[in-house]
Amino acid sequence: MLIKCQKIFILLGDDCNLACRYCIQHPLVRVRKSADVPPELLEWIDREAELADGMLDICFFGGEPLLYFDAIKTIVGCHRAENVQYHMITNGKALTEEMVSFFNAHHVYLNISWDGDRVKETRRYDVFEKNRDNLLKLDCLGVNAVVSSKAYPCDVLKAMQKIDDAYYALHRRHIKVHTDFIFGCDLPDPSLSDGIDYEKLNEQVKRILAEYDKFARGGTADPVIIQWMTFYLEGYLWAMSHDESPYCQNGRGILNVDLKGNLYFCHNTRQMIGTIWSRNDRYISRVDALESGVEKQKAVCRQCPAYKLCRICCKLIPPEKREDHYCRLRRAVFAPMAEYIEHTLAGYAKEGKQ
């Protein structure tokens, strides 16, 4: 029996207008594909929305989604279901005033990939330097950074706060912020992972925790730091209540579909496992086969101090490469964070607080 879908990544195409130094999609063929949207895909989205419990989140993905603006307009403009919300992960370089007007009119949330003050060393382009006015006009704006040897979490959050200050002055609300972590294998530029200064990383995490602790004790902190920490705190509390750490739902609760209706195991690969017309028991068996190592890995991950904050291990990471980069980086960030949260919760319990 199929699990109800919570999120759909629509893979518009692999074409991109940047060449970021850590993009794991570099091996994909970058040939502009047809951006025609078949009626069957629109009907399928509506059917998935009818089956969903609550809102169905649809994320436009590339390549670079803004290069496929016509397809985005077709999909957003034609859907009939009321419980569908749209967002995209974009570098923002191609954003125009026309696009801003369309996205604002349809409440589309744009999550801009940007790595702080040293973004030119990772993405070779600073979109907030080149296209700042259009970005700040967006009604629904988020900023996402990738932690690497050129972008450390506290530095990135402080840079994001400057953007948040400008955005808040215009809209009287804050941007959304998030950070990802560099994969650590099969990168175009391995130095972005191999060159991480873990002593500096540890110091940066401690600075964030110290500032957040002031806020937790009734003081003040940067809004982006509060938001960043709240995201992980809520995830930690969820993991405690479910005695589990959330892991990747690609192939099940998260579906990855291209404009032709092909379904993929993950939005970062092109490993096709079915179509929108064949999402059946055979499809599920293929997902099960690809996830065969998850339960075994969970047993190992449970012993890690970062378990409640880390989404276990991405299935794209070869087992022999997990510890050297992937796990070490996440443990360096999440272990002190988990220790702080556990200490804080223990203190609240001792004082009789909820």
Side-chain angles (χ1 to χ4, degrees):
M1 185 175 181
L2 295 179
I3 297 175
K4 292 181 179 180
C5 177
Q6 304 161 332
K7 185 172 186 176
I8 296 174
F9 279 88
I10 298 182
L11 312 179
L12 299 168
D14 301 327
D15 199 33
C16 189
N17 53 2
L18 289 183
C20 300
R21 292 171 59 191
Y22 47 53
C23 181
I24 64 172
Q25 292 191 24
H26 277 287
L28 300 178
V29 178
R30 295 184 180 276
V31 176
R32 182 68 68 91
K33 300 176 182 177
S34 170
D36 294 337
V37 181
E40 294 85 355
L41 181 62
L42 299 173
E43 293 168 1
W44 176 76
I45 292 173
D46 283 335
R47 289 198 302 270
E48 291 296 334
E50 290 177 5
L51 295 171
D53 291 329
M55 295 298 294
L56 174 63
D57 184 22
I58 294 183
C59 178
F60 295 110
F61 202 72
E64 169 48 43
L66 293 180
L67 299 182
Y68 301 87
F69 182 54
D70 287 343
I72 292 171
K73 286 195 296 184
T74 298
I75 294 170
V76 174
C78 292
H79 87 265
R80 296 181 296 274
E82 295 182 355
N83 64 323
V84 174
Q85 59 186 12
Y86 290 97
H87 81 280
M88 73 180 69
I89 301 169
T90 170
N91 60 46
K93 182 179 180 180
L95 185 69
T96 64
E97 289 187 16
E98 176 194 358
M99 294 177 182
V100 170
S101 296
F102 178 84
F103 294 141
N104 287 349
H106 292 84
H107 310 291
V108 180
Y109 162 58
L110 271 68
N111 192 13
I112 307 300
S113 300
W114 186 73
D115 299 325
D117 294 334
R118 300 182 68 180
V119 66
K120 290 182 181 178
E121 298 179 61
T122 56
R123 297 186 175 272
R124 301 186 176 96
Y125 184 85
D126 187 343
V127 69
F128 278 99
E129 176 185 288
K130 301 292 186 179
N131 206 3
R132 182 183 182 89
D133 289 345
N134 281 329
L135 292 169
L136 292 180
K137 290 176 184 176
L138 290 165
D139 287 344
C140 305
L141 175 65
V143 181
N144 184 81
V146 175
V147 173
S148 70
S149 65
K150 302 297 182 183
Y152 290 83
C154 191
D155 292 341
V156 164
L157 292 175
K158 291 297 181 181
M160 288 179 178
Q161 186 57 57
K162 296 176 185 177
I163 295 172
D164 182 65
D165 290 341
Y167 189 80
Y168 190 84
L170 292 173
H171 298 272
R172 309 310 298 174
R173 60 178 175 277
H174 298 288
I175 63 173
K176 294 182 180 180
V177 300
H178 186 64
T179 54
D180 289 320
F181 301 90
I182 197 161
F183 260 52
C185 67
D186 299 326
L187 299 175
D189 184 352
S191 71
L192 292 174
S193 177
D194 296 344
I196 292 175
D197 182 339
Y198 282 90
E199 183 176 342
K200 179 177 179 179
L201 180 61
N202 183 261
E203 184 270 335
Q204 292 246 323
V205 173
K206 288 181 177 179
R207 282 171 56 189
I208 293 171
L209 293 174
E211 182 165 344
Y212 180 80
D213 189 60
K214 292 179 182 177
F215 163 75
R217 295 177 183 277
T220 61
D222 286 346
V224 297
I225 283 184
I226 296 170
Q227 184 186 147
W228 191 78
M229 277 296 300
T230 299
F231 172 82
Y232 288 112
L233 176 59
E234 290 175 349
Y236 189 95
L237 295 175
W238 184 95
M240 284 184 61
S241 63
H242 291 78
D243 190 29
E244 182 61 276
S245 177
Y247 69 94
C248 171
Q249 290 292 316
N250 271 304
R252 296 181 182 276
I254 298 176
L255 300 180
N256 309 286
V257 64
D258 66 16
L259 295 182
K260 293 183 178 180
N262 298 312
L263 292 170
Y264 298 85
F265 180 56
C266 173
H267 45 275
N268 284 311
T269 71
R270 295 300 177 263
Q271 185 175 4
M272 197 176 83
I273 54 175
T275 71
I276 59 176
W277 302 279
S278 64
R279 189 163 164 251
N280 48 28
D281 290 342
R282 185 180 180 187
Y283 169 91
I284 288 296
S285 68
R286 290 176 179 172
V287 175
D288 288 341
L290 290 167
E291 287 187 335
S292 59
V294 170
E295 290 302 321
K296 181 179 180 180
Q297 184 61 34
K298 284 167 65 176
V300 175
C301 289
R302 282 183 180 274
Q303 310 305 313
C304 176
Y307 176 70
K308 290 186 176 68
L309 293 170
C310 182
R311 292 180 178 271
I312 310 182
C313 187
C314 174
K315 293 180 282 293
L316 301 181
I317 303 296
E320 67 275 11
K321 295 185 178 181
R322 287 173 184 162
E323 186 59 36
D324 289 346
H325 298 287
Y326 189 92
C327 293
R328 184 184 181 191
L329 173 55
R330 283 151 185 78
R331 192 159 50 240
V333 175
F334 292 143
M337 194 183 298
E339 181 180 3
Y340 168 78
I341 293 173
E342 290 169 2
H343 177 78
T344 301
L345 293 177
Y348 284 168
K350 186 175 181 180
E351 297 173 12
K353 298 180 181 179
Q354 295 295 321

